[in-house]
Amino acid sequence: MKKQLGTGLTMLALTAALAGCGGGSTTPAATSPAVTAGSPNASATAPAASVSPPSATSTATAAGVDLKIASSSLGDIVVDGKGMSVYYYTKDVKDSGTSTCTGGCLTAWPPLLTTSDEPKVEGVTGTVGTITTPEGAKQVTLNGLPLYYFAKDTKAGDILGQGVNDVWYLADPAGEMIKTATK
């Protein structure tokens, strides 16, 4: 009984956080177009039922590549070193050095964190850097904008955050926002 109640409360909290991020109520379809990131785990199967966001430790890429390229139904996109899609938030201001996603927004859209002053990239041609979060962590930026995960993307290849509330978008290798709807 406690587990069911906890799961229900988690779903309710995530729904509330999503509603607070971007103002609209439109969400993408519950399908996940295929992404190939060079990993056998990057399949085109339906997303897992779990809706828990990456933990704080899993959002930081301690070693290896911070950003790389993967193929998706929308073309080449930027992903983290494990093949998880990363997103821009259109309410962030380029080169401001801050993120406008705070509070409950960060529950649904955890930041892409790194331990490096100079994030490592493979195939990404946009300008990669970092900003410091209010907690003192280093959030990865691309072309001066912070990058985030989407809590409903549970495995490499998921791009369920694309177009959420018309303010969350994937990035291409040059660091441009991909505003195309998922196919």
Side-chain angles (χ1 to χ4, degrees), residues 153-180:
D153 287 350
T154 59
K155 66 184 179 322
D158 285 349
I159 57 173
L160 299 174
Q162 177 65 4
V164 168
N165 296 330
D166 295 324
V167 295
W168 294 96
Y169 296 100
L170 295 162
D172 71 13
E176 298 298 319
M177 262 183 225
I178 300 172
K179 290 201 172 182
T180 309

PDB file of all heavy atoms in Angstrom, residues 153-180:
ATOM      1  N   ASP A 153      12.321  10.812 -20.250  1.00  0.00           N
ATOM      2  CA  ASP A 153      13.271  10.073 -21.085  1.00  0.00           C
ATOM      3  C   ASP A 153      13.997   9.118 -20.149  1.00  0.00           C
ATOM      4  O   ASP A 153      14.822   9.538 -19.343  1.00  0.00           O
ATOM      5  CB  ASP A 153      14.290  11.014 -21.737  1.00  0.00           C
ATOM      6  CG  ASP A 153      13.730  11.847 -22.864  1.00  0.00           C
ATOM      7  OD1 ASP A 153      12.590  11.605 -23.301  1.00  0.00           O
ATOM      8  OD2 ASP A 153      14.451  12.760 -23.315  1.00  0.00           O
ATOM      9  N   THR A 154      13.655   7.841 -20.226  1.00  0.00           N
ATOM     10  CA  THR A 154      14.200   6.877 -19.270  1.00  0.00           C
ATOM     11  C   THR A 154      15.341   6.033 -19.820  1.00  0.00           C
ATOM     12  O   THR A 154      15.977   5.307 -19.072  1.00  0.00           O
ATOM     13  CB  THR A 154      13.094   5.944 -18.753  1.00  0.00           C
ATOM     14  OG1 THR A 154      12.515   5.262 -19.863  1.00  0.00           O
ATOM     15  CG2 THR A 154      12.032   6.737 -17.991  1.00  0.00           C
ATOM     16  N   LYS A 155      15.593   6.126 -21.131  1.00  0.00           N
ATOM     17  CA  LYS A 155      16.682   5.349 -21.718  1.00  0.00           C
ATOM     18  C   LYS A 155      17.234   6.083 -22.925  1.00  0.00           C
ATOM     19  O   LYS A 155      16.598   6.986 -23.469  1.00  0.00           O
ATOM     20  CB  LYS A 155      16.202   3.960 -22.114  1.00  0.00           C
ATOM     21  CG  LYS A 155      15.181   3.962 -23.235  1.00  0.00           C
ATOM     22  CD  LYS A 155      14.679   2.562 -23.524  1.00  0.00           C
ATOM     23  CE  LYS A 155      13.646   2.505 -24.615  1.00  0.00           C
ATOM     24  NZ  LYS A 155      12.682   3.560 -24.672  1.00  0.00           N
ATOM     25  N   ALA A 156      18.438   5.695 -23.305  1.00  0.00           N
ATOM     26  CA  ALA A 156      19.059   6.278 -24.492  1.00  0.00           C
ATOM     27  C   ALA A 156      18.102   6.104 -25.670  1.00  0.00           C
ATOM     28  O   ALA A 156      17.491   5.047 -25.834  1.00  0.00           O
ATOM     29  CB  ALA A 156      20.388   5.590 -24.778  1.00  0.00           C
ATOM     30  N   GLY A 157      17.945   7.144 -26.437  1.00  0.00           N
ATOM     31  CA  GLY A 157      17.054   7.080 -27.596  1.00  0.00           C
ATOM     32  C   GLY A 157      15.722   7.765 -27.377  1.00  0.00           C
ATOM     33  O   GLY A 157      15.053   8.139 -28.335  1.00  0.00           O
ATOM     34  N   ASP A 158      15.310   7.969 -26.133  1.00  0.00           N
ATOM     35  CA  ASP A 158      14.048   8.663 -25.878  1.00  0.00           C
ATOM     36  C   ASP A 158      14.208  10.145 -26.204  1.00  0.00           C
ATOM     37  O   ASP A 158      15.215  10.763 -25.845  1.00  0.00           O
ATOM     38  CB  ASP A 158      13.643   8.537 -24.409  1.00  0.00           C
ATOM     39  CG  ASP A 158      13.110   7.168 -24.039  1.00  0.00           C
ATOM     40  OD1 ASP A 158      12.857   6.352 -24.949  1.00  0.00           O
ATOM     41  OD2 ASP A 158      12.949   6.917 -22.835  1.00  0.00           O
ATOM     42  N   ILE A 159      13.210  10.709 -26.889  1.00  0.00           N
ATOM     43  CA  ILE A 159      13.175  12.153 -27.164  1.00  0.00           C
ATOM     44  C   ILE A 159      11.777  12.691 -26.852  1.00  0.00           C
ATOM     45  O   ILE A 159      11.209  13.495 -27.575  1.00  0.00           O
ATOM     46  CB  ILE A 159      13.623  12.492 -28.609  1.00  0.00           C
ATOM     47  CG1 ILE A 159      12.783  11.784 -29.662  1.00  0.00           C
ATOM     48  CG2 ILE A 159      15.105  12.191 -28.794  1.00  0.00           C
ATOM     49  CD1 ILE A 159      13.087  12.233 -31.103  1.00  0.00           C
ATOM     50  N   LEU A 160      11.250  12.247 -25.713  1.00  0.00           N
ATOM     51  CA  LEU A 160       9.893  12.615 -25.327  1.00  0.00           C
ATOM     52  C   LEU A 160       9.752  14.082 -24.920  1.00  0.00           C
ATOM     53  O   LEU A 160       8.650  14.610 -24.872  1.00  0.00           O
ATOM     54  CB  LEU A 160       9.419  11.711 -24.182  1.00  0.00           C
ATOM     55  CG  LEU A 160       9.359  10.220 -24.509  1.00  0.00           C
ATOM     56  CD1 LEU A 160       9.020   9.421 -23.264  1.00  0.00           C
ATOM     57  CD2 LEU A 160       8.360   9.960 -25.610  1.00  0.00           C
ATOM     58  N   GLY A 161      10.857  14.747 -24.634  1.00  0.00           N
ATOM     59  CA  GLY A 161      10.796  16.150 -24.233  1.00  0.00           C
ATOM     60  C   GLY A 161      10.695  17.120 -25.393  1.00  0.00           C
ATOM     61  O   GLY A 161      10.431  18.308 -25.195  1.00  0.00           O
ATOM     62  N   GLN A 162      10.902  16.635 -26.609  1.00  0.00           N
ATOM     63  CA  GLN A 162      10.900  17.510 -27.775  1.00  0.00           C
ATOM     64  C   GLN A 162       9.576  18.257 -27.918  1.00  0.00           C
ATOM     65  O   GLN A 162       8.516  17.654 -28.058  1.00  0.00           O
ATOM     66  CB  GLN A 162      11.198  16.719 -29.059  1.00  0.00           C
ATOM     67  CG  GLN A 162      11.145  17.516 -30.336  1.00  0.00           C
ATOM     68  CD  GLN A 162      12.215  18.599 -30.441  1.00  0.00           C
ATOM     69  OE1 GLN A 162      13.077  18.736 -29.602  1.00  0.00           O
ATOM     70  NE2 GLN A 162      12.142  19.391 -31.491  1.00  0.00           N
ATOM     71  N   GLY A 163       9.634  19.586 -27.849  1.00  0.00           N
ATOM     72  CA  GLY A 163       8.458  20.424 -28.074  1.00  0.00           C
ATOM     73  C   GLY A 163       7.517  20.549 -26.889  1.00  0.00           C
ATOM     74  O   GLY A 163       6.464  21.163 -27.019  1.00  0.00           O
ATOM     75  N   VAL A 164       7.871  20.003 -25.713  1.00  0.00           N
ATOM     76  CA  VAL A 164       6.972  20.094 -24.562  1.00  0.00           C
ATOM     77  C   VAL A 164       6.681  21.569 -24.268  1.00  0.00           C
ATOM     78  O   VAL A 164       7.590  22.388 -24.162  1.00  0.00           O
ATOM     79  CB  VAL A 164       7.570  19.397 -23.317  1.00  0.00           C
ATOM     80  CG1 VAL A 164       6.777  19.733 -22.065  1.00  0.00           C
ATOM     81  CG2 VAL A 164       7.608  17.892 -23.523  1.00  0.00           C
ATOM     82  N   ASN A 165       5.390  21.878 -24.183  1.00  0.00           N
ATOM     83  CA  ASN A 165       4.904  23.232 -23.901  1.00  0.00           C
ATOM     84  C   ASN A 165       5.482  24.289 -24.839  1.00  0.00           C
ATOM     85  O   ASN A 165       5.534  25.467 -24.506  1.00  0.00           O
ATOM     86  CB  ASN A 165       5.162  23.609 -22.446  1.00  0.00           C
ATOM     87  CG  ASN A 165       4.392  22.748 -21.486  1.00  0.00           C
ATOM     88  OD1 ASN A 165       3.309  22.264 -21.788  1.00  0.00           O
ATOM     89  ND2 ASN A 165       4.956  22.506 -20.323  1.00  0.00           N
ATOM     90  N   ASP A 166       5.947  23.863 -26.002  1.00  0.00           N
ATOM     91  CA  ASP A 166       6.546  24.764 -27.000  1.00  0.00           C
ATOM     92  C   ASP A 166       7.718  25.568 -26.439  1.00  0.00           C
ATOM     93  O   ASP A 166       7.987  26.681 -26.902  1.00  0.00           O
ATOM     94  CB  ASP A 166       5.490  25.707 -27.591  1.00  0.00           C
ATOM     95  CG  ASP A 166       4.430  24.969 -28.396  1.00  0.00           C
ATOM     96  OD1 ASP A 166       4.786  23.976 -29.066  1.00  0.00           O
ATOM     97  OD2 ASP A 166       3.260  25.366 -28.328  1.00  0.00           O
ATOM     98  N   VAL A 167       8.445  25.009 -25.445  1.00  0.00           N
ATOM     99  CA  VAL A 167       9.603  25.708 -24.887  1.00  0.00           C
ATOM    100  C   VAL A 167      10.819  24.801 -24.661  1.00  0.00           C
ATOM    101  O   VAL A 167      11.886  25.292 -24.307  1.00  0.00           O
ATOM    102  CB  VAL A 167       9.268  26.449 -23.563  1.00  0.00           C
ATOM    103  CG1 VAL A 167       8.280  27.568 -23.797  1.00  0.00           C
ATOM    104  CG2 VAL A 167       8.767  25.498 -22.500  1.00  0.00           C
ATOM    105  N   TRP A 168      10.683  23.502 -24.888  1.00  0.00           N
ATOM    106  CA  TRP A 168      11.787  22.552 -24.687  1.00  0.00           C
ATOM    107  C   TRP A 168      12.140  21.912 -26.020  1.00  0.00           C
ATOM    108  O   TRP A 168      11.283  21.291 -26.653  1.00  0.00           O
ATOM    109  CB  TRP A 168      11.397  21.479 -23.676  1.00  0.00           C
ATOM    110  CG  TRP A 168      11.191  22.041 -22.304  1.00  0.00           C
ATOM    111  CD1 TRP A 168       9.997  22.404 -21.739  1.00  0.00           C
ATOM    112  CD2 TRP A 168      12.188  22.338 -21.343  1.00  0.00           C
ATOM    113  NE1 TRP A 168      10.210  22.891 -20.481  1.00  0.00           N
ATOM    114  CE2 TRP A 168      11.550  22.864 -20.207  1.00  0.00           C
ATOM    115  CE3 TRP A 168      13.587  22.205 -21.326  1.00  0.00           C
ATOM    116  CZ2 TRP A 168      12.248  23.257 -19.067  1.00  0.00           C
ATOM    117  CZ3 TRP A 168      14.275  22.595 -20.185  1.00  0.00           C
ATOM    118  CH2 TRP A 168      13.609  23.108 -19.077  1.00  0.00           C
ATOM    119  N   TYR A 169      13.433  22.028 -26.425  1.00  0.00           N
ATOM    120  CA  TYR A 169      13.830  21.529 -27.731  1.00  0.00           C
ATOM    121  C   TYR A 169      15.207  20.876 -27.693  1.00  0.00           C
ATOM    122  O   TYR A 169      16.097  21.287 -26.935  1.00  0.00           O
ATOM    123  CB  TYR A 169      13.846  22.663 -28.760  1.00  0.00           C
ATOM    124  CG  TYR A 169      12.473  23.244 -28.992  1.00  0.00           C
ATOM    125  CD1 TYR A 169      12.085  24.432 -28.386  1.00  0.00           C
ATOM    126  CD2 TYR A 169      11.556  22.584 -29.795  1.00  0.00           C
ATOM    127  CE1 TYR A 169      10.822  24.960 -28.580  1.00  0.00           C
ATOM    128  CE2 TYR A 169      10.285  23.104 -29.991  1.00  0.00           C
ATOM    129  CZ  TYR A 169       9.920  24.284 -29.384  1.00  0.00           C
ATOM    130  OH  TYR A 169       8.663  24.799 -29.568  1.00  0.00           O
ATOM    131  N   LEU A 170      15.375  19.884 -28.548  1.00  0.00           N
ATOM    132  CA  LEU A 170      16.651  19.214 -28.744  1.00  0.00           C
ATOM    133  C   LEU A 170      17.619  20.167 -29.443  1.00  0.00           C
ATOM    134  O   LEU A 170      17.205  21.180 -30.020  1.00  0.00           O
ATOM    135  CB  LEU A 170      16.457  17.964 -29.616  1.00  0.00           C
ATOM    136  CG  LEU A 170      15.596  16.857 -29.003  1.00  0.00           C
ATOM    137  CD1 LEU A 170      15.117  15.901 -30.079  1.00  0.00           C
ATOM    138  CD2 LEU A 170      16.374  16.128 -27.919  1.00  0.00           C
ATOM    139  N   ALA A 171      18.906  19.794 -29.431  1.00  0.00           N
ATOM    140  CA  ALA A 171      19.943  20.579 -30.111  1.00  0.00           C
ATOM    141  C   ALA A 171      20.568  19.748 -31.218  1.00  0.00           C
ATOM    142  O   ALA A 171      20.706  18.529 -31.092  1.00  0.00           O
ATOM    143  CB  ALA A 171      21.020  20.995 -29.118  1.00  0.00           C
ATOM    144  N   ASP A 172      20.965  20.426 -32.305  1.00  0.00           N
ATOM    145  CA  ASP A 172      21.707  19.733 -33.361  1.00  0.00           C
ATOM    146  C   ASP A 172      23.209  19.886 -33.062  1.00  0.00           C
ATOM    147  O   ASP A 172      23.587  20.612 -32.135  1.00  0.00           O
ATOM    148  CB  ASP A 172      21.304  20.242 -34.749  1.00  0.00           C
ATOM    149  CG  ASP A 172      21.785  21.646 -35.079  1.00  0.00           C
ATOM    150  OD1 ASP A 172      22.656  22.202 -34.367  1.00  0.00           O
ATOM    151  OD2 ASP A 172      21.298  22.206 -36.071  1.00  0.00           O
ATOM    152  N   PRO A 173      24.090  19.196 -33.819  1.00  0.00           N
ATOM    153  CA  PRO A 173      25.529  19.236 -33.519  1.00  0.00           C
ATOM    154  C   PRO A 173      26.140  20.647 -33.506  1.00  0.00           C
ATOM    155  O   PRO A 173      27.093  20.902 -32.779  1.00  0.00           O
ATOM    156  CB  PRO A 173      26.147  18.386 -34.622  1.00  0.00           C
ATOM    157  CG  PRO A 173      25.063  17.424 -34.995  1.00  0.00           C
ATOM    158  CD  PRO A 173      23.789  18.225 -34.876  1.00  0.00           C
ATOM    159  N   ALA A 174      25.585  21.575 -34.284  1.00  0.00           N
ATOM    160  CA  ALA A 174      26.095  22.948 -34.305  1.00  0.00           C
ATOM    161  C   ALA A 174      25.567  23.767 -33.130  1.00  0.00           C
ATOM    162  O   ALA A 174      25.944  24.921 -32.948  1.00  0.00           O
ATOM    163  CB  ALA A 174      25.730  23.625 -35.622  1.00  0.00           C
ATOM    164  N   GLY A 175      24.658  23.191 -32.342  1.00  0.00           N
ATOM    165  CA  GLY A 175      24.109  23.881 -31.190  1.00  0.00           C
ATOM    166  C   GLY A 175      22.842  24.657 -31.481  1.00  0.00           C
ATOM    167  O   GLY A 175      22.389  25.444 -30.657  1.00  0.00           O
ATOM    168  N   GLU A 176      22.242  24.423 -32.635  1.00  0.00           N
ATOM    169  CA  GLU A 176      20.981  25.084 -32.989  1.00  0.00           C
ATOM    170  C   GLU A 176      19.810  24.288 -32.411  1.00  0.00           C
ATOM    171  O   GLU A 176      19.858  23.063 -32.347  1.00  0.00           O
ATOM    172  CB  GLU A 176      20.836  25.194 -34.506  1.00  0.00           C
ATOM    173  CG  GLU A 176      21.931  26.024 -35.158  1.00  0.00           C
ATOM    174  CD  GLU A 176      21.951  27.465 -34.692  1.00  0.00           C
ATOM    175  OE1 GLU A 176      20.872  28.067 -34.539  1.00  0.00           O
ATOM    176  OE2 GLU A 176      23.061  27.990 -34.458  1.00  0.00           O
ATOM    177  N   MET A 177      18.746  24.992 -32.031  1.00  0.00           N
ATOM    178  CA  MET A 177      17.530  24.327 -31.550  1.00  0.00           C
ATOM    179  C   MET A 177      16.829  23.633 -32.702  1.00  0.00           C
ATOM    180  O   MET A 177      16.702  24.203 -33.775  1.00  0.00           O
ATOM    181  CB  MET A 177      16.564  25.358 -30.962  1.00  0.00           C
ATOM    182  CG  MET A 177      16.628  25.475 -29.492  1.00  0.00           C
ATOM    183  SD  MET A 177      15.407  26.628 -28.876  1.00  0.00           S
ATOM    184  CE  MET A 177      16.434  27.498 -27.732  1.00  0.00           C
ATOM    185  N   ILE A 178      16.383  22.421 -32.450  1.00  0.00           N
ATOM    186  CA  ILE A 178      15.593  21.683 -33.436  1.00  0.00           C
ATOM    187  C   ILE A 178      14.121  21.902 -33.061  1.00  0.00           C
ATOM    188  O   ILE A 178      13.660  21.377 -32.061  1.00  0.00           O
ATOM    189  CB  ILE A 178      15.935  20.181 -33.418  1.00  0.00           C
ATOM    190  CG1 ILE A 178      17.415  19.982 -33.741  1.00  0.00           C
ATOM    191  CG2 ILE A 178      15.043  19.423 -34.393  1.00  0.00           C
ATOM    192  CD1 ILE A 178      17.902  18.545 -33.565  1.00  0.00           C
ATOM    193  N   LYS A 179      13.409  22.685 -33.847  1.00  0.00           N
ATOM    194  CA  LYS A 179      12.026  23.000 -33.509  1.00  0.00           C
ATOM    195  C   LYS A 179      11.019  22.170 -34.308  1.00  0.00           C
ATOM    196  O   LYS A 179       9.837  22.414 -34.263  1.00  0.00           O
ATOM    197  CB  LYS A 179      11.766  24.488 -33.680  1.00  0.00           C
ATOM    198  CG  LYS A 179      12.488  25.307 -32.621  1.00  0.00           C
ATOM    199  CD  LYS A 179      11.879  26.645 -32.450  1.00  0.00           C
ATOM    200  CE  LYS A 179      12.489  27.351 -31.253  1.00  0.00           C
ATOM    201  NZ  LYS A 179      11.888  28.655 -31.032  1.00  0.00           N
ATOM    202  N   THR A 180      11.509  21.166 -35.006  1.00  0.00           N
ATOM    203  CA  THR A 180      10.658  20.245 -35.750  1.00  0.00           C
ATOM    204  C   THR A 180       9.921  19.330 -34.774  1.00  0.00           C
ATOM    205  O   THR A 180      10.497  18.886 -33.788  1.00  0.00           O
ATOM    206  CB  THR A 180      11.512  19.374 -36.695  1.00  0.00           C
ATOM    207  OG1 THR A 180      12.349  20.240 -37.471  1.00  0.00           O
ATOM    208  CG2 THR A 180      10.665  18.515 -37.598  1.00  0.00           C
TER     209      THR A 180
END
